[in-house]
């Protein structure tokens, strides 16, 4: 059973930066580097939205259009961590951010939150205008 522990987040002003981190522990049947890992966010009253992520092979990195050029996802396989660096934050980036992982997800389903079996506890990001 993989456990994902998130850190980071908080209240910032528009234009500021934040860094979120997701640390994985536990699990069996393969190393964490073989998992697809993603960051999702959820604003009040809205569906959980894919923000950025890696495919299972790690060969592909994806970003939703609204964060391209501002957010960067990175992973450290030696430390089993995945970070999300968020720059030039906007009020519309506000929400609860979750990291998620899957060992079995297929590439065409990477943006579907229902396909991820492991989730972090969530962390609030609030960007004021």
């Amino acid at each position: 059973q993989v456990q994902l522990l998130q850190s980071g987040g908080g209240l910032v002003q528009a234009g500021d930066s934040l860094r979120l981190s997701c640390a994985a522990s536990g699990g069996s049947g393969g190393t964490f580097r073989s998992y697809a890992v993603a960051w999702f966010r959820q604003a009040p009253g809205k569906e959980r939205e894919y923000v950025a992520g890696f495919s299972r092979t790690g060969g592909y990195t994806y970003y939703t259009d609204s964060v391209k050029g501002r957010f960067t996802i990175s992973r450290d396989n030696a430390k089993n961590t995945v970070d999300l660096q968020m720059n030039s934050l906007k009020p519309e980036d506000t929400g609860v951010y979750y990291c998620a992982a899957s060992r079995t997800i297929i590439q065409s389903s990477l943006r579907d939150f229902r396909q991820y079996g492991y989730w972090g506890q969530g962390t609030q990001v609030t960007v004021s205008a």
Side-chain angles (χ1 to χ4, degrees), residues 10-26:
L11 171 63
V12 296
Q13 294 184 331
D16 286 350
S17 298
L18 278 176
R19 190 175 186 89
L20 305 181
S21 186
C22 177
S25 61

Side-chain angles (χ1 to χ4, degrees), residues 65-85:
D65 287 345
S66 63
V67 308
K68 287 180 180 177
R70 300 189 297 121
F71 290 14
T72 303
I73 189 171
S74 60
R75 71 191 301 173
D76 185 332
N77 290 326
K79 297 181 179 179
N80 286 344
T81 58
V82 177
D83 291 352
L84 184 68
Q85 177 66 41

Side-chain angles (χ1 to χ4, degrees), residues 39-121:
W39 286 95
F40 288 83
R41 66 187 178 191
Q42 190 164 19
K46 293 188 177 181
E47 191 171 83
R48 198 162 293 189
E49 174 191 26
Y50 182 91
V51 175
F54 291 102
S55 62
R56 278 198 297 124
T57 63
Y60 295 94
T61 307
Y62 299 91
Y63 296 91
T64 196
D65 287 345
S66 63
V67 308
K68 287 180 180 177
R70 300 189 297 121
F71 290 14
T72 303
I73 189 171
S74 60
R75 71 191 301 173
D76 185 332
N77 290 326
K79 297 181 179 179
N80 286 344
T81 58
V82 177
D83 291 352
L84 184 68
Q85 177 66 41
M86 305 184 292
N87 298 328
S88 302
L89 283 160
K90 302 176 180 180
E92 51 263 45
D93 295 318
T94 294
V96 179
Y97 282 69
Y98 298 90
C99 66
S102 171
R103 192 166 60 87
T104 60
I105 194 171
I106 61 176
Q107 192 159 324
S108 60
S109 297
L110 288 175
R111 297 174 183 267
D112 184 352
F113 68 89
R114 294 164 294 188
Q115 302 302 318
Y116 289 81
Y118 304 104
W119 290 89
Q121 78 277 20

